[in-house]
mmCIF file of all heavy atoms in Angstrom:
data_model
loop_
_atom_site.group_PDB
_atom_site.id
_atom_site.type_symbol
_atom_site.label_atom_id
_atom_site.label_comp_id
_atom_site.label_asym_id
_atom_site.label_seq_id
_atom_site.Cartn_x
_atom_site.Cartn_y
_atom_site.Cartn_z
ATOM 1 N N ILE A 154 94.327 85.384 5.104
ATOM 2 C CA ILE A 154 95.673 84.829 5.582
ATOM 3 C C ILE A 154 95.463 84.045 6.953
ATOM 4 O O ILE A 154 96.080 82.917 7.067
ATOM 5 C CB ILE A 154 96.780 85.885 5.802
ATOM 6 C CG1 ILE A 154 98.137 85.315 5.468
ATOM 7 C CG2 ILE A 154 96.681 86.458 7.144
ATOM 8 C CD1 ILE A 154 98.329 85.030 3.907
ATOM 9 N N LEU A 155 94.614 84.488 7.777
ATOM 10 C CA LEU A 155 94.302 83.712 8.958
ATOM 11 C C LEU A 155 93.549 82.420 8.651
ATOM 12 O O LEU A 155 93.602 81.411 9.407
ATOM 13 C CB LEU A 155 93.622 84.566 10.010
ATOM 14 C CG LEU A 155 94.462 85.697 10.690
ATOM 15 C CD1 LEU A 155 93.774 86.553 11.586
ATOM 16 C CD2 LEU A 155 95.621 85.016 11.386
ATOM 17 N N ALA A 156 92.718 82.515 7.707
ATOM 18 C CA ALA A 156 91.877 81.365 7.198
ATOM 19 C C ALA A 156 92.741 80.316 6.711
ATOM 20 O O ALA A 156 92.605 79.096 6.943
ATOM 21 C CB ALA A 156 90.885 81.764 6.156
ATOM 22 N N LEU A 157 93.810 80.731 6.025
ATOM 23 C CA LEU A 157 94.850 79.759 5.559
ATOM 24 C C LEU A 157 95.623 79.169 6.687
ATOM 25 O O LEU A 157 95.788 77.779 6.642
ATOM 26 C CB LEU A 157 95.970 80.479 4.652
ATOM 27 C CG LEU A 157 95.516 81.032 3.257
ATOM 28 C CD1 LEU A 157 96.548 81.597 2.583
ATOM 29 C CD2 LEU A 157 94.979 79.823 2.448
ATOM 30 N N VAL A 158 95.781 79.821 7.688
ATOM 31 C CA VAL A 158 96.416 79.256 8.856
ATOM 32 C C VAL A 158 95.593 78.308 9.577
ATOM 33 O O VAL A 158 95.974 77.092 9.962
ATOM 34 C CB VAL A 158 96.821 80.422 9.967
ATOM 35 C CG1 VAL A 158 97.301 79.894 11.266
ATOM 36 C CG2 VAL A 158 97.920 81.367 9.336
ATOM 37 N N VAL A 159 94.342 78.478 9.789
ATOM 38 C CA VAL A 159 93.430 77.712 10.412
ATOM 39 C C VAL A 159 93.107 76.390 9.584
ATOM 40 O O VAL A 159 92.798 75.341 10.054
ATOM 41 C CB VAL A 159 92.034 78.345 10.761
ATOM 42 C CG1 VAL A 159 90.978 77.481 11.408
ATOM 43 C CG2 VAL A 159 92.412 79.626 11.701
ATOM 44 N N GLY A 160 93.054 76.649 8.250
ATOM 45 C CA GLY A 160 92.918 75.514 7.375
ATOM 46 C C GLY A 160 91.833 75.616 6.298
ATOM 47 O O GLY A 160 90.650 75.151 6.537
ATOM 48 N N ALA A 161 92.129 76.371 5.250
ATOM 49 C CA ALA A 161 91.166 76.546 4.107
ATOM 50 C C ALA A 161 91.988 76.837 3.003
ATOM 51 O O ALA A 161 92.970 77.486 3.028
ATOM 52 C CB ALA A 161 90.136 77.820 4.525
ATOM 53 N N SER A 162 91.534 76.451 1.804
ATOM 54 C CA SER A 162 92.174 76.608 0.470
ATOM 55 C C SER A 162 92.072 78.109 0.207
ATOM 56 O O SER A 162 91.277 78.868 0.645
ATOM 57 C CB SER A 162 91.581 75.850 -0.642
ATOM 58 O OG SER A 162 90.251 76.354 -0.960
ATOM 59 N N ARG A 163 93.032 78.609 -0.703
ATOM 60 C CA ARG A 163 93.072 79.954 -0.958
ATOM 61 C C ARG A 163 91.770 80.466 -1.579
ATOM 62 O O ARG A 163 91.259 81.515 -1.225
ATOM 63 C CB ARG A 163 94.217 80.277 -1.971
ATOM 64 C CG ARG A 163 95.611 79.989 -1.351
ATOM 65 C CD ARG A 163 96.701 80.547 -2.291
ATOM 66 N NE ARG A 163 97.956 80.112 -1.650
ATOM 67 C CZ ARG A 163 98.537 78.862 -1.727
ATOM 68 N NH1 ARG A 163 97.841 77.908 -2.330
ATOM 69 N NH2 ARG A 163 99.638 78.694 -1.151
ATOM 70 N N PHE A 164 91.288 79.748 -2.563
ATOM 71 C CA PHE A 164 90.046 80.146 -3.200
ATOM 72 C C PHE A 164 88.893 80.077 -2.256
ATOM 73 O O PHE A 164 88.155 81.120 -2.217
ATOM 74 C CB PHE A 164 89.759 79.191 -4.364
ATOM 75 C CG PHE A 164 88.451 79.619 -5.067
ATOM 76 C CD1 PHE A 164 88.412 80.650 -5.877
ATOM 77 C CD2 PHE A 164 87.337 78.839 -4.863
ATOM 78 C CE1 PHE A 164 87.269 81.069 -6.614
ATOM 79 C CE2 PHE A 164 86.110 79.296 -5.484
ATOM 80 C CZ PHE A 164 86.120 80.290 -6.372
ATOM 81 N N ARG A 165 88.578 79.202 -1.445
ATOM 82 C CA ARG A 165 87.554 79.067 -0.445
ATOM 83 C C ARG A 165 87.723 80.156 0.653
ATOM 84 O O ARG A 165 86.755 80.829 0.990
ATOM 85 C CB ARG A 165 87.411 77.720 0.169
ATOM 86 C CG ARG A 165 86.962 76.557 -0.701
ATOM 87 C CD ARG A 165 85.629 77.055 -1.408
ATOM 88 N NE ARG A 165 85.271 76.043 -2.459
ATOM 89 C CZ ARG A 165 84.523 76.213 -3.463
ATOM 90 N NH1 ARG A 165 83.941 77.379 -3.549
ATOM 91 N NH2 ARG A 165 84.212 75.281 -4.220
ATOM 92 N N ALA A 166 88.930 80.401 1.002
ATOM 93 C CA ALA A 166 89.271 81.465 2.049
ATOM 94 C C ALA A 166 88.856 82.809 1.479
ATOM 95 O O ALA A 166 88.240 83.688 2.067
ATOM 96 C CB ALA A 166 90.630 81.290 2.496
ATOM 97 N N THR A 167 89.222 83.017 0.204
ATOM 98 C CA THR A 167 88.925 84.261 -0.470
ATOM 99 C C THR A 167 87.510 84.409 -0.720
ATOM 100 O O THR A 167 86.932 85.605 -0.363
ATOM 101 C CB THR A 167 89.722 84.454 -1.817
ATOM 102 O OG1 THR A 167 91.053 84.250 -1.651
ATOM 103 C CG2 THR A 167 89.531 85.672 -2.545
ATOM 104 N N GLU A 168 86.835 83.449 -1.271
ATOM 105 C CA GLU A 168 85.347 83.471 -1.416
ATOM 106 C C GLU A 168 84.519 83.837 -0.204
ATOM 107 O O GLU A 168 83.743 84.618 -0.206
ATOM 108 C CB GLU A 168 84.901 82.172 -2.117
ATOM 109 C CG GLU A 168 83.413 82.171 -2.474
ATOM 110 C CD GLU A 168 82.900 80.817 -2.919
ATOM 111 O OE1 GLU A 168 83.131 79.790 -2.113
ATOM 112 O OE2 GLU A 168 82.544 80.756 -4.099
ATOM 113 N N PHE A 169 84.929 82.997 0.840
ATOM 114 C CA PHE A 169 84.107 83.206 2.115
ATOM 115 C C PHE A 169 84.412 84.561 2.794
ATOM 116 O O PHE A 169 83.478 85.126 3.337
ATOM 117 C CB PHE A 169 84.465 82.031 3.169
ATOM 118 C CG PHE A 169 83.662 81.988 4.405
ATOM 119 C CD1 PHE A 169 82.378 81.505 4.304
ATOM 120 C CD2 PHE A 169 84.032 82.680 5.488
ATOM 121 C CE1 PHE A 169 81.495 81.468 5.327
ATOM 122 C CE2 PHE A 169 83.185 82.622 6.678
ATOM 123 C CZ PHE A 169 81.962 82.045 6.711
ATOM 124 N N SER A 170 85.623 85.028 2.605
ATOM 125 C CA SER A 170 85.955 86.316 3.147
ATOM 126 C C SER A 170 85.099 87.445 2.543
ATOM 127 O O SER A 170 84.589 88.338 3.079
ATOM 128 C CB SER A 170 87.409 86.655 2.893
ATOM 129 O OG SER A 170 87.827 87.982 3.153
ATOM 130 N N PHE A 171 84.956 87.269 1.161
ATOM 131 C CA PHE A 171 84.179 88.204 0.395
ATOM 132 C C PHE A 171 82.655 88.154 0.836
ATOM 133 O O PHE A 171 81.898 89.121 0.890
ATOM 134 C CB PHE A 171 84.360 88.005 -1.060
ATOM 135 C CG PHE A 171 85.592 88.375 -1.620
ATOM 136 C CD1 PHE A 171 86.639 88.983 -0.799
ATOM 137 C CD2 PHE A 171 85.995 88.176 -2.994
ATOM 138 C CE1 PHE A 171 87.879 89.299 -1.218
ATOM 139 C CE2 PHE A 171 87.263 88.681 -3.413
ATOM 140 C CZ PHE A 171 88.147 89.149 -2.565
ATOM 141 N N LEU A 172 82.165 86.842 0.969
ATOM 142 C CA LEU A 172 80.802 86.700 1.216
ATOM 143 C C LEU A 172 80.453 87.256 2.599
ATOM 144 O O LEU A 172 79.306 87.888 2.768
ATOM 145 C CB LEU A 172 80.370 85.142 1.294
ATOM 146 C CG LEU A 172 80.405 84.392 -0.040
ATOM 147 C CD1 LEU A 172 80.208 82.964 0.081
ATOM 148 C CD2 LEU A 172 79.170 84.967 -0.873
ATOM 149 N N VAL A 173 81.360 87.093 3.600
ATOM 150 C CA VAL A 173 81.139 87.751 4.917
ATOM 151 C C VAL A 173 81.375 89.178 4.867
ATOM 152 O O VAL A 173 80.689 90.012 5.508
ATOM 153 C CB VAL A 173 82.164 87.129 5.923
ATOM 154 C CG1 VAL A 173 81.953 87.852 7.306
ATOM 155 C CG2 VAL A 173 81.788 85.566 6.023
ATOM 156 N N GLY A 174 82.266 89.634 3.974
ATOM 157 C CA GLY A 174 82.464 91.023 3.867
ATOM 158 C C GLY A 174 81.465 91.922 3.259
ATOM 159 O O GLY A 174 81.204 93.083 3.609
ATOM 160 N N ILE A 175 80.565 91.293 2.316
ATOM 161 C CA ILE A 175 79.467 92.054 1.803
ATOM 162 C C ILE A 175 78.608 92.559 2.894
ATOM 163 O O ILE A 175 78.328 93.803 2.946
ATOM 164 C CB ILE A 175 78.824 91.232 0.734
ATOM 165 C CG1 ILE A 175 79.715 90.941 -0.519
ATOM 166 C CG2 ILE A 175 77.473 91.916 0.284
ATOM 167 C CD1 ILE A 175 79.175 90.096 -1.502
ATOM 168 N N PRO A 176 77.952 91.764 3.698
ATOM 169 C CA PRO A 176 77.016 92.271 4.810
ATOM 170 C C PRO A 176 77.706 93.149 5.818
ATOM 171 O O PRO A 176 77.249 94.107 6.293
ATOM 172 C CB PRO A 176 76.366 90.975 5.371
ATOM 173 C CG PRO A 176 77.301 89.921 5.128
ATOM 174 C CD PRO A 176 77.968 90.295 3.780
ATOM 175 N N THR A 177 79.061 92.726 6.114
ATOM 176 C CA THR A 177 79.749 93.531 7.156
ATOM 177 C C THR A 177 80.039 94.935 6.685
ATOM 178 O O THR A 177 79.820 95.848 7.384
ATOM 179 C CB THR A 177 81.173 92.678 7.299
ATOM 180 O OG1 THR A 177 80.876 91.417 7.776
ATOM 181 C CG2 THR A 177 81.922 93.578 8.327
ATOM 182 N N MET A 178 80.589 95.114 5.435
ATOM 183 C CA MET A 178 80.916 96.448 4.902
ATOM 184 C C MET A 178 79.614 97.221 4.646
ATOM 185 O O MET A 178 79.578 98.441 4.878
ATOM 186 C CB MET A 178 81.672 96.381 3.681
ATOM 187 C CG MET A 178 83.082 95.600 3.919
ATOM 188 S SD MET A 178 83.918 96.227 5.345
ATOM 189 C CE MET A 178 84.291 97.803 4.908
ATOM 190 N N LEU A 179 78.507 96.594 4.216
ATOM 191 C CA LEU A 179 77.210 97.371 3.931
ATOM 192 C C LEU A 179 76.697 97.783 5.255
ATOM 193 O O LEU A 179 76.213 98.933 5.318
ATOM 194 C CB LEU A 179 76.380 96.441 3.096
ATOM 195 C CG LEU A 179 76.594 96.178 1.722
ATOM 196 C CD1 LEU A 179 75.560 95.315 1.027
ATOM 197 C CD2 LEU A 179 76.716 97.559 0.881
#
């Protein structure tokens, strides 16, 4: 949701969130 505010499409924001989330959560 903050990525949308800053300026990113829903799909790219979701995809990048997941890509960052993988190393973060592991």
Side-chain angles (χ1 to χ4, degrees):
I154 214 69
L155 288 179
L157 290 179
V158 172
V159 178
S162 67
R163 291 181 189 85
F164 180 76
R165 291 303 173 203
T167 302
E168 181 187 60
F169 189 79
S170 169
F171 289 0
L172 288 173
V173 176
I175 290 171
T177 299
M178 300 312 298
L179 288 180

